Each structure stands twice: as structure tokens, then as C-alpha cells.
Amino acid sequence: MAKASGTKSGKKSDKKSGKKSGKKSSSRSSDKAGTTSDAPAPADDLTARRDAAVELLRARPGLRVADVDARAKPGFDGSRTDGERALAKIGEDLSDLQERLYANGRTGGDRSVLLVLQGLDTAGKGGIVRHVLGLVDPQGVALRSFGVPTPEERRHHYLWRVRRALPPAGRIGVFDRSHYEDVLVARVDELVPPDVWRARYDEINRFEARVAAAGTTIVKVLLWVSPDEQYARLHERLDRPEKHWKYDPSDVDARLRRPAYEAAYQDVLDRTSTDVAPWYVVPADRKWYARLAVSALLHRALSDLDLGWPAATYDVSAERARLEATR
Ligand code: AMP
Ligand code: MG
């Protein structure tokens, strides 16, 4: 899942991923149909490993969310240090890909990416924003956090605030929580009757299909933290004065309702993981792994857009000559 394009770091990342390097090139010609056997680029191999990790993370029918091992590292068998290095390398690529997206948006392109982050309290949503989105130009990111609806938001349909927060063309939108809270906390805390939240899954699917059709690649991530790790993180928030602001007494209430949240998340995965807006379940007890995994998902989404640099809308050599004439 390490860096997927650009060759300068290909070899290194091979080693860092902890996978057997060295054998890769020789086995390339046989392990992937349709590729030529001459001079396989290390980047192709990294792309293949990234894609394998992405497939492992994808929520498949039959996945039981309560059974997910939150300490697992699907698609990556390196150490924490390896993972942190791999993330930095991916960051170089992400930055380039994000700039292409931004440039295309500035020149009439209609593509954008939307990363939806969900997870129980302490799952690490904020850390993803800081450590993964922090790798790209903030100009290109449209971040929106969804909390308890304001009085104004409450006067509207639950998707109203979501529509207004969708990323404009050229941007990577990030939702820290999302419309899924309207089938999660709204269900668990009985904020609306069952027939109301039950009708929302299909509505959300239709909504997301329209968003995707308008040019937005949707990537939905469920960060999955274990009860023990959540306990440790909440404990730390209470122990350290600089973390008190992150603690909310309601976090303990939500923690006590974990079985209800697990059931609600299970339905979300079963009912709203679609081809145009798939869910990925990312084990999140190891923060470094979760960050690496999300960076791989984002990398895949951005590279699949296959964006080049916008062509100049002026005569480059004529402009060069004009500029020279000003010296
Ligand atoms: P945090 O993400 O920790 O800042 O907390 C935001 C809080 O807002 C969480 O407790 C969410 O459950 C809550 N929240 C988000 N969206 C909704 C919603 N649609 N209805 C009710 N509560 C919500
Ligand atoms: Mg919170």
C-alpha cells in the first residue's frame, strides 16, 4: 500500500513494507495479466499492493463489524516506523495528485473527491484530518465537521447541511462525521422514530448516487476502534489537562451503548455500501496504520481520476517572447 507512482522511492518502500522485496520484479510478468514482461516499473508493483490493501479494506457483504480486529494491519506487514515512512512517501504523491485536481477544478473540470469519516468517539477522525489531509495543500481541502444540528439545521431536512458542505469542483471534501449520524446517533438515542431512520438508508443511497453522478468520487471510511483502546484513549483524555477539551461526558454514555452502535454500523455497511459510494472499514487501534490505510484509499481515488495538467489557454512561446521583451 505504499507509494504508488513516481519511481524515486519505489525500491525503498518495497523494503519498508516488510514484504519480500527483490523477488517482485521477476514475478511481475506472471502475476498480472496484460502487463508486458520487459522492465517492470517498481511503481506498478506498489500500485498493485496499494490496490490489494484497498480491496482488503472494502466492506464486503457478510462482514460482521463487531468481529473486525481493530489491531489488524490489512495489506501491510511492516512496523510502525515503516508505516510512518510509507505515509510520508505517499504524501509526496498525494500532494501532486491533489494539485492536479485543484488545477483541473480551476480550469473547468467538474471532478472532486469526498472522504467521509465515521467512527466511535476516539476512533481517530481528527488524526486522519491532521496527518493525512495535512499532507496536501490546505487550499485544496474542504473540511466540514458535523455536530449536533443547530436550531437552523434542525428546521431543514437532515441532508440540507450536507448538500451545502459538498466539495466544489477541484477540491477534496472531508466530512468529520456526516449524514450517517442520522442513522447512527439518531437511531441509538431514539432522536427519531424507527420508521423515520429506516427510510433514510435508501434516501442516502439515492443522494450519494446523484453526488457521484455529478463528478464526486465518494470514499467512506469507518475507523474501527476496540473497546479496550477506546477506554485507554478516554482515560488519557481525562489524565492529561491538555486533552480535557477533547473529552465529553457523553462519550461514556455512548461507550455504554456500544452494542447498539455496532448494530447501527452493521446496518450502515449492509445497506449503504454501493459501487459508487463504497464503505471501507479501517482497523484503528494503531493510529499509524489507520492513517496509512486512509492515505492509500485517498491515493487510489485521486489516481483513478487520471488527471493531467491543464493545457495553457495561451501561446506559451509568444508569452515567453513577450516576457523577455520586458527585461
Ligand atoms: P465530536 O465529533 O466529538 O465533536 O462530537 C459531535 C457530536 O455531534 C457527536 O456526539 C455526534 O453524535 C453528534 N452529532 C452529529 N451529527 C448529529 C446528528 N445529526 N444528530 C444528533 N447528533 C449528532
Ligand atoms: Mg467527541
Side-chain angles (χ1 to χ4, degrees):
M1 106 160 57
K3 198 168 151 74
S5 66
T7 51
K8 54 184 192 302
S9 64
K11 276 225 173 73
K12 266 187 175 169
S13 298
D14 258 354
K15 209 161 70 201
K16 283 173 197 147
S17 76
K19 304 209 167 162
K20 292 152 220 135
S21 56
K23 290 187 195 154
K24 298 280 176 185
S25 309
S26 52
S27 63
R28 283 288 294 138
S29 54
S30 55
D31 68 11
K32 197 174 170 194
T35 51
T36 54
S37 57
D38 58 316
D44 289 345
D45 187 59
L46 291 161
T47 303
R49 293 219 313 272
R50 176 205 65 188
D51 290 347
V54 166
E55 283 315 303
L56 287 170
L57 295 169
R58 187 165 170 150
R60 309 223 150 269
L63 173 88
R64 304 298 310 162
V65 74
D67 296 341
V68 169
D69 175 4
R71 283 190 64 76
K73 305 176 285 178
F76 191 81
D77 53 11
S79 68
R80 175 187 181 144
T81 313
D82 297 333
E84 286 169 353
R85 282 196 200 122
L87 177 62
K89 289 294 178 196
I90 280 196
E92 294 168 18
D93 255 24
L94 277 181
S95 179
D96 173 83
L97 290 164
Q98 178 269 324
E99 193 178 347
R100 286 168 193 261
L101 177 62
Y102 190 77
N104 276 269
R106 289 289 297 264
T107 52
D110 64 354
R111 304 309 309 266
S112 60
V113 170
L114 174 61
L115 177 67
V116 173
L117 296 174
Q118 283 290 158
L120 299 170
D121 293 304
T122 76
K125 300 186 292 293
I128 296 291
V129 173
R130 204 159 46 248
H131 294 276
V132 179
L133 281 308
L135 298 170
V136 306
D137 185 348
Q139 271 192 109
V141 177
L143 171 66
R144 173 70 150 87
S145 301
F146 291 96
V148 177
T150 63
E152 188 189 18
E153 287 170 349
R154 241 193 296 275
R155 281 197 293 276
H156 293 87
H157 187 270
Y158 70 98
L159 290 174
W160 178 77
R161 63 179 186 166
V162 178
R163 265 188 218 105
R164 291 157 58 94
L166 289 170
R171 239 51 86 76
I172 301 175
V174 183
F175 285 179
D176 174 349
R177 302 190 191 267
S178 64
H179 43 298
Y180 284 97
E181 292 295 328
D182 294 287
V183 287
L184 290 164
V185 67
R187 163 179 170 171
V188 172
D189 285 358
E190 299 178 16
L191 305 178
V192 294
D195 58 320
V196 170
W197 57 256
R198 277 202 194 101
R200 288 178 175 169
Y201 300 104
D202 287 343
E203 189 172 42
I204 287 173
N205 287 337
R206 288 194 299 273
F207 168 68
E208 291 180 351
R210 282 196 302 275
V211 171
T216 303
T217 300
I218 304 175
V219 179
K220 300 185 295 200
V221 172
L222 169 54
L223 295 168
W224 198 249
V225 69
S226 69
D228 287 351
E229 181 64 20
Q230 187 189 47
Y231 167 82
R233 291 181 188 176
L234 287 174
H235 205 285
E236 194 185 13
R237 288 181 182 183
L238 288 172
D239 283 350
R240 294 174 52 182
E242 76 274 21
K243 294 209 171 193
H244 284 174
W245 66 275
K246 284 192 182 185
Y247 184 89
D248 188 317
S250 74
D251 294 349
V252 170
D253 301 310
R255 179 172 159 78
L256 287 168
R257 281 178 225 126
R258 184 172 179 118
Y261 272 105
E262 289 183 349
Y265 269 114
Q266 186 67 50
D267 278 344
V268 162
L269 298 181
D270 291 344
R271 305 197 51 179
T272 66
S273 202
T274 59
D275 284 343
V276 291
W279 275 105
Y280 296 90
V281 181
V282 172
D285 275 14
R286 300 176 203 258
K287 290 179 180 174
W288 66 263
Y289 172 78
R291 291 165 191 170
L292 181 60
V294 176
S295 74
L297 294 171
L298 206 49
H299 191 285
R300 163 75 174 267
L302 286 164
S303 1
D304 280 359
L305 295 177
D306 202 19
L307 298 174
W309 294 105
T313 52
Y314 46 83
D315 180 335
V316 176
S317 34
E319 289 306 309
R320 210 177 269 132
R322 286 184 64 230
L323 176 63
E324 285 310 313
T326 64
R327 286 184 87 180

